[in-house]
Amino acid sequence: MKSDINWNFDNSYSKLPEAFKENIKPLFVKSPKLIILNKELGRKLNLNFSDINEKELSEIFVGNKLPTGSKSIAQAYAGHQFGHFVMLGDGRATLLGEHVTKNKEKYDIQLKGSGKTAFSRNGDGRAALGPMLREYVISEAMNSLKVPTTRGLAVAKTGEDVIREKALQGAILTRVASSHIRVGTFQYISARQNLKELKMLLDYTIDRHYPEIKNSKNKALDLLSRLIEKQCDLVVNWMRVGFIHGVMNTDNMTISGETIDYGPCAFMDVYDPKTVFSSIDKTGRYAYCNQPLITKWNLSRFAECLIPLIDENKDKAIEIATQKINSFDKLYEEKWMKMMRNKLGLSETDDNDKSLFIDLLSWMHINKADYTNTFCQLMKLGPTEIIYNDKEFINWKKRWLKRISINKISFEDSIKIMRNNNPLVIPRNHKIEEMLESAEQNDFRLIHKMLKILSTPYTEQENIIDYRLASSSKKKYKTFCGT
Ligand code: AMP
Ligand code: MG
């Protein structure tokens, strides 16, 4: 029997200087038990699960048995958490290395919840089952929603308790990412004031994510431009599906442009731009409507790290970088307008488009309409709710239909665009809670059901009405950091 699953490991990040990481192995766990395995992602990665038994798979996905060729590390990084600069690092994760697919695509394989590292500070290095399953399900849902994201390959229980407010079952998530390089990684290296290391990180990042700018005249500036574009696309995507990240700290912003770290995140039900779910976000810093502003703020922190590489003359470098950062607003506006046009099936542009969008959103806000389902209503794909009989909504619809009629594309094509941009189902908060509660009792039927439903969010599915409606409870949904 084979004892590996076709891993093909490279360890390019671990070859960077000592300052970038700690060489470490995942801590051994007592009784591993595989809970979920992402066979579809496994196929994409050319992994082979068929010649290996469940017990060995469990050993692999808790880190008891390391892939051949893995040189595992914990990555160093820093970050602005709620605006305050802190030295951080993988305090409860181990990067096993990079798996290379047949197509030469490189993916980080990381175990989250794998034990203490040099960066654990006061933490125990561990993770509980609920938050790891939550990250797995939501990141998979995001992927199916066509939002760039890290993904989950497996969740396995450790057989050991983790102590939070009470004893919880410990678990490890195997996270797959195109890399784990964060804005915070640049902040960490930049804070060390070692230009050679900073250049190394720049070159490594460009080589891995943006090889097209490898030979450009001003690599640092071009990387900044690329990241502005990527992060702008990402946040517009979040706004499109009503996703609220919850902890947009700079350590939770990737250079690849993938969504990372699903802690207190959640999807908005009723449209309210000020929606915040996270219990620790007292001031609403990371509210739905603030996400583009925070993206720009985080990008400014990234730009600061690159200053010494943009120009030898510091003042000049700051001026150039500031100009670049200020291009974010226009870019965001353009991309947001395009996204809204897609959601409403509009081709070309019209001077009144913005007021059309704002009026719909204001109507949703005032009437407490569901964000996702309002767009479903416009596509005539229910769920029907009494609120949509409101006169103002009907009048708005007339304006919208008139606007659609000046499209150069056919009505059918307009609907097609809408269908590709408006999900029929999102991870509803009460359904996530329901699923986690039953998983805690070792019943994994709901998680599999939910994963299946969320895997085709743009397709009509029978008998899923309870997954399409928000909870009828008036209680405000609160999320907590997944520690
Ligand atoms: P997060 O909120 O998951 O983005 O984590 C922020 C920082 O806290 C990172 O450096 C994590 O590695 C660290 N961290 C979170 N939970 C734990 C834990 N249980 N033990 C050690 N470090 C942790
Ligand atoms: Mg984080």
Side-chain angles (χ1 to χ4, degrees), residues 77 81 88-92 120-121 123-126 164 251-252 261 483:
Y77 54 86
Q81 300 199 310
L88 298 162
D90 288 331
R92 56 162 170 173
S120 296
R121 295 173 292 160
D124 61 357
R126 291 296 186 195
R164 298 295 179 256
D251 50 304
N252 291 336
D261 267 8
T483 46

Side-chain angles (χ1 to χ4, degrees), residues 451-465:
L451 282 168
K452 184 157 184 294
I453 291 171
L454 293 173
S455 69
T456 56
Y458 299 100
T459 310
E460 271 184 280
Q461 301 176 59
E462 304 265 316
N463 304 323
I464 61 158
I465 188 70

Side-chain angles (χ1 to χ4, degrees), residues 325-377:
I325 289 292
N326 286 340
S327 69
F328 179 87
D329 302 305
K330 188 163 168 272
L331 192 68
Y332 178 77
E333 171 81 5
E334 282 166 10
K335 286 183 190 285
W336 183 83
M337 288 291 290
K338 183 154 192 282
M339 176 274 281
M340 287 301 287
R341 282 193 187 97
N342 286 340
K343 276 181 91 66
L344 292 169
L346 307 178
S347 71
E348 293 86 43
T349 60
D350 183 88
D351 287 349
N352 298 320
D353 283 353
K354 183 132 188 211
S355 61
L356 188 74
F357 304 160
I358 299 292
D359 291 349
L360 175 65
L361 294 172
S362 306
W363 177 84
M364 281 187 216
H365 189 191
I366 293 164
N367 293 280
K368 300 190 166 47
D370 187 271
Y371 179 66
T372 302
N373 289 344
T374 300
F375 292 96
C376 295
Q377 181 70 22

Side-chain angles (χ1 to χ4, degrees), residues 268-315:
M268 177 168 67
D269 294 320
V270 164
Y271 179 77
D272 180 351
K274 294 215 159 62
T275 306
V276 175
F277 292 112
S278 169
S279 61
I280 56 167
D281 191 359
K282 303 282 185 226
T283 59
R285 180 178 166 94
Y286 300 137
Y288 176 76
C289 63
N290 282 345
Q291 298 192 123
L293 306 174
I294 292 293
T295 301
K296 184 180 171 188
W297 193 89
N298 288 350
L299 286 165
S300 309
R301 304 292 75 76
F302 181 59
E304 281 164 6
C305 302
L306 298 176
I307 292 297
L309 301 179
I310 289 177
D311 199 286
E312 276 172 13
N313 178 328
K314 193 173 169 190
D315 292 338

Side-chain angles (χ1 to χ4, degrees), residues 5 7 34-50 57 61 109 133 135-144 149-156 172-176 447-448 451-452 455:
I5 51 176
W7 290 123
L34 186 66
I35 301 296
I36 296 189
L37 181 62
N38 193 337
K39 296 202 171 129
E40 182 256 320
L41 179 57
R43 271 193 296 278
K44 190 178 150 198
L45 298 174
N46 314 127
L47 297 176
N48 175 14
F49 301 131
S50 57
L57 277 176
F61 290 116
I109 308 293
L133 287 176
E135 170 155 348
Y136 182 97
V137 172
I138 300 186
S139 63
E140 283 306 292
M142 290 284 269
N143 181 61
S144 302
T149 179
T150 64
R151 295 188 65 183
L153 181 60
V155 177
I172 291 177
L173 166 76
T174 304
R175 183 156 74 179
V176 177
I447 194 165
H448 288 294
L451 282 168
K452 184 157 184 294
S455 69

Side-chain angles (χ1 to χ4, degrees), residues 1 7 13 38 54 80 109 123 152 163 169 173 180 203 206 219-220 291 304 329 339 417 423 434 452 472 479:
M1 181 169 292
W7 290 123
Y13 201 87
N38 193 337
E54 178 108 0
H80 274 93
I109 308 293
I163 310 301
Q169 302 183 71
L173 166 76
H180 283 83
D203 286 338
I206 289 176
K219 287 189 282 190
Q291 298 192 123
E304 281 164 6
D329 302 305
M339 176 274 281
I417 297 175
E434 228 175 84
K452 184 157 184 294
S472 51
T479 55

